[in-house]
Amino acid sequence: MVRNIDKVIGQDAVVKKGWLVAHKWLLLRRLSQLSILGLFLTGPLFGYWLIKGNMTSSLIMDTVPLSDPFVFIQTLFTGYLPEIAIVTGAVIVTLFYLTVGGRVYCSWVCPINIVTDAADWLRRILKIRTSLSFSRMGRYGLLVISMVLSSITGMLVWELVNPVTMIQRELVFGMGLSWLFIVGIFILDAFVSRRAWCGHLCPMGAFYSLIGQASLLKVNAINRASCNDCMDCFAVCPEPQVIKPALKGHAKSSPVIYSGNCTNCARCIDVCAENVFTIKHRFIN
Amino acid sequence: MNSVTNKSIQSRRRFLENISKAAGGAALFGIGLGLYSQQSKSLPSTAIRPPGVDNESDFLSACVRCGLCVRDCPYDTLKLSRLGEHVALGTPYFDARSIPCEMCEDIPCVKACPTGALDPELTNIDDARMGLAVLIDQEACIAFQGLRCEVCYNVCPVQNKAISINRQRNSRTGKHALFIPVVHSSDCTGCGKCEHACILEEAAIKVLPTKLAKGELGHHYRLGWKEKQKAGESLVTPDLEHKYNLPQGTEYDYEGKGLIQPGSNNSGDHQSRGLVQPEETPFNESALDRLNKGHL
């Protein structure tokens, strides 16, 4: 079961299913990420205000409010009682991610994912191997710290430095120096530690992981019997630790990837030549 | 059995190590972040908050940096702070010298705010207090040179209330007036139109955050004439009636003894100085009684 690191990940799947099918979910994700960003930009660029604001809080067609629950929770921790609009927005968004998967935010919406995926791709083709690794618990530590600091200082402390909302905001409202954070996260992920930002440090990802614990749609290793141990799914997965219990658990264990850390990016479905994985609701065992 | 326990001990140890590493790293980072957050509370004096912000720290606990106020501002006055600017990251502000607030009657920026960081109870734009205009450079302001300008007075949306013209004597010419603009904090909304319109290279009148612009009188202070007006009468005890006219039987010694009463050698007490009329005297004739009352 030693993985041949010279092998291109997903090669078998490309040969067996064709390039397009073997990249279906990746292409859909990029389409989703870019079109969401595009929707936010049609207003400032072309004057069609389908959606106003940015990803922390917005208004669709001047009627439906959407708000990021992570930022919303921070305002609650400062001790502030917000107006109804943002509460409604946060409830709508939370219900959405409770349905499609908590970290669908990370893999299908957040534009930083394009940067970190690119960094990981570079790592693979240049065969960069570094030994430094952060704890995957680090993000939860930062999540706790950001909430505690919000209530101590009475201000949204994490939002003073949050690279995710900062980059999203400056992409829509005009770029300041936040491009430095884009470069920084790319360097961190490519040359310092694999999947460091999204998989280990980002408290926003940690928050959406918590939503993901209870979310409906889950990746399911439904055909795990036909797994040929090529290890491509482990190699491509941003959170490889979530696969093992479902794919390699004992016969009676559930094939569902329950972990909230799974981003539902579905790259495992793409790269698997044996069609082991699929996306189902969590109650199918 | 032994190897299983060993393994579980090992994995528990690894787990604890992992947790403490994460907690330690996060705590260390948190300390730095906490310190940074205190620093970022300071607002540069050129950055003016949109209408409906009464208190900077309340605002910072409520604003989610969505930019909906910026989008609904019809004059592109508001902008979001970008990384590298000295305003708390992502929060809305404006620079009055480049684009001032036009004081829309329907206040679209406040209506757009989903969190209430811009106070929805602000419904009359004249009640907004974004900052306070201050005629900060009297040396450069040409009104102080005796020239007619009054541009700030004329562009002021709360005209004649927020800025009035105070005429003073021009001591240089001796026969003209100075038309001095005076800002009144009771009515100035801090919209910044005066700063924007100031004809100088660098504005002599500037909008500053209210906290920076306003002094505050000690709370124990009472202005006598105002208290008198409130009470309808003088609040201090009226002066004693003048009693220095020489009373009966009293003489004035020009040699230094002052008032003396012939027949009394006790020249130091009130009676002898004529302050107390002889018939009002509180003193008993009996020396023992005087001693008991403490009057020597």
Side-chain angles (χ1 to χ4, degrees):
Chain A
M1 258 188 20
V2 175
R3 185 160 61 91
N4 179 2
I5 62 159
D6 291 331
K7 198 188 75 171
V8 177
I9 297 164
Q11 207 173 24
D12 299 348
V14 172
V15 170
K16 206 161 169 182
K17 306 194 284 193
W19 190 91
L20 208 60
V21 178
H23 291 83
K24 182 177 91 176
W25 291 101
L26 179 65
L27 293 173
L28 285 174
R29 271 191 321 117
R30 293 289 175 260
L31 187 68
S32 159
Q33 289 159 342
L34 293 174
S35 46
I36 289 170
L37 194 59
L39 278 177
F40 277 103
L41 284 168
T42 50
L45 291 183
F46 308 111
Y48 296 105
W49 296 99
L50 302 166
I51 186 161
K52 253 186 210 168
N54 61 41
M55 288 180 205
T56 55
S57 193
S58 56
L59 202 57
I60 302 176
M61 310 290 284
D62 275 327
T63 42
V64 185
L66 296 179
S67 295
D68 184 275
F70 172 67
V71 181
F72 170 70
I73 296 276
Q74 287 180 72
T75 67
L76 293 187
F77 269 89
T78 64
Y80 176 74
L81 269 181
E83 292 291 310
I84 196 72
I86 194 157
V87 182
T88 317
V91 168
I92 293 174
V93 171
T94 307
L95 288 177
F96 174 74
Y97 287 116
L98 272 174
T99 312
V100 298
R103 291 196 70 198
V104 161
Y105 174 80
C106 302
S107 59
W108 290 77
V109 177
C110 181
I112 314 294
N113 175 264
I114 301 175
V115 178
T116 57
D117 273 0
D120 197 55
W121 172 80
L122 190 74
R123 259 183 103 82
R124 277 205 305 269
I125 63 161
L126 295 183
K127 301 190 182 63
I128 299 167
R129 311 203 59 128
T130 50
S131 58
L132 178 71
S133 85
F134 297 96
S135 162
R136 284 199 188 266
M137 299 299 288
R139 49 186 154 180
Y140 294 104
L142 284 179
L143 179 62
V144 171
I145 287 283
S146 60
M147 296 306 165
V148 169
L149 280 180
S150 289
S151 48
I152 292 176
T153 62
M155 61 195 284
L156 303 178
V157 175
W158 184 251
E159 294 311 304
L160 294 173
V161 292
N162 188 349
V164 176
T165 51
M166 177 198 311
I167 292 165
Q168 291 169 351
R169 183 171 53 242
E170 295 197 356
L171 282 171
V172 179
F173 279 83
M175 190 51 78
L177 290 177
S178 77
W179 63 271
L180 285 170
F181 271 86
I182 301 180
V183 174
I185 288 175
F186 183 84
I187 291 173
L188 176 72
D189 271 27
F191 304 111
V192 181
S193 177
R194 179 171 189 260
R195 297 282 184 191
W197 178 252
C198 300
H200 298 76
L201 298 176
C202 178
M204 217 161 168
F207 178 82
Y208 280 99
S209 291
L210 297 181
I211 293 183
Q213 288 294 342
S215 62
L216 185 66
L217 290 188
K218 291 284 175 191
V219 174
N220 191 328
I222 200 156
N223 290 327
R224 61 183 172 184
S226 47
C227 172
N228 62 5
D229 296 339
C230 74
M231 301 296 282
D232 277 1
C233 54
F234 285 96
V236 83
C237 180
E239 304 274 349
Q241 80 281 6
V242 307
I243 299 179
K244 199 176 162 194
L247 185 63
K248 296 292 164 194
H250 59 81
K252 279 182 185 163
S253 70
S254 165
V256 178
I257 295 181
Y258 286 117
S259 169
N261 286 336
C262 172
T263 69
N264 280 9
C265 73
R267 271 301 273 161
C268 52
I269 304 179
D270 276 349
V271 299
C272 182
E274 307 301 323
N275 293 322
V276 168
F277 298 98
T278 183
I279 289 184
K280 294 275 182 203
H281 65 75
R282 66 187 297 142
F283 304 108
I284 288 193
N285 286 318
Chain B
M1 180 65 196
N2 202 15
S3 79
V4 169
T5 21
N6 248 345
K7 210 173 165 186
S8 83
I9 285 172
Q10 258 179 19
S11 78
R12 190 194 312 153
R13 190 172 291 166
R14 199 163 341 134
F15 177 74
L16 287 175
E17 209 178 278
N18 227 338
I19 287 272
S20 52
K21 237 162 70 176
L28 210 62
F29 182 77
I31 291 171
L33 189 58
L35 290 174
Y36 173 68
S37 77
Q38 294 311 299
Q39 194 194 335
S40 69
K41 270 184 182 167
S42 62
L43 190 66
S45 53
T46 48
I48 304 300
R49 291 295 186 196
V53 179
D54 291 333
N55 176 317
E56 176 72 6
S57 66
D58 286 353
F59 174 71
L60 287 178
S61 70
C63 173
V64 294
R65 291 97 156 125
C66 65
L68 284 169
C69 54
V70 174
R71 289 300 187 222
D72 279 6
C73 175
Y75 299 97
D76 290 335
T77 301
L78 294 176
K79 47 194 176 179
L80 291 184
S81 154
R82 299 172 186 180
L83 189 65
E85 290 169 15
H86 291 289
V87 181
L89 183 67
T91 53
Y93 73 100
F94 69 96
D95 172 15
R97 185 65 167 166
S98 40
I99 312 179
C101 172
E102 294 287 341
M103 288 178 58
C104 314
E105 278 187 12
D106 52 344
I107 329 180
C109 49
V110 171
K111 280 190 184 154
C113 180
T115 65
L118 306 183
D119 188 357
E121 281 175 22
L122 179 73
T123 48
N124 177 2
I125 190 64
D126 286 347
D127 294 337
R129 292 293 177 267
M130 296 169 263
L132 180 62
V134 180
L135 209 169
I136 206 162
D137 190 353
Q138 305 193 348
E139 292 176 339
C141 174
I142 62 166
F144 283 84
Q145 314 301 318
L147 301 172
R148 294 296 300 271
C149 175
E150 293 123 61
V151 169
C152 52
Y153 168 78
N154 284 311
V155 297
C156 179
V158 199
Q159 206 175 20
N160 245 331
K161 287 185 186 161
I163 301 182
S164 60
I165 293 293
N166 182 3
R167 269 180 282 177
Q168 295 174 8
R169 184 172 168 275
N170 185 340
S171 59
R172 180 174 59 84
T173 64
K175 52 189 168 188
H176 299 101
L178 303 177
F179 290 73
I180 304 297
V182 179
V183 180
H184 303 281
S185 65
S186 54
D187 290 281
C188 174
T189 62
C191 70
K193 294 203 76 164
C194 51
E195 179 179 347
H196 178 67
C198 180
I199 61 154
L200 304 187
E201 290 288 315
E202 177 72 42
I205 188 165
K206 284 177 177 161
V207 175
L208 300 177
T210 313
K211 206 174 83 179
L212 206 64
K214 282 285 285 174
E216 193 176 352
L217 196 62
H219 295 286
H220 63 287
Y221 253 81
R222 299 288 179 274
L223 301 175
W225 60 95
K226 285 190 178 168
E227 297 299 320
K228 188 174 175 180
Q229 209 171 22
K230 247 192 278 174
E233 56 174 352
S234 174
L235 296 175
V236 290
T237 324
D239 287 338
L240 281 171
E241 216 178 304
H242 189 58
K243 287 183 174 176
Y244 282 92
N245 293 330
L246 295 185
Q248 254 185 336
T250 309
E251 290 164 14
Y252 194 86
D253 175 39
Y254 290 96
E255 303 301 322
K257 282 184 183 166
L259 290 167
I260 47 167
Q261 207 168 16
S264 160
N265 51 6
N266 199 356
S267 63
D269 73 14
H270 285 212
Q271 191 179 10
S272 71
R273 283 193 274 122
L275 295 176
V276 181
Q277 299 286 341
E279 54 270 27
E280 293 176 0
T281 180
F283 304 122
N284 201 304
E285 284 302 309
S286 150
L288 184 62
D289 193 52
R290 289 215 302 272
L291 189 67
N292 284 339
K293 285 181 178 168
H295 300 299
L296 286 171

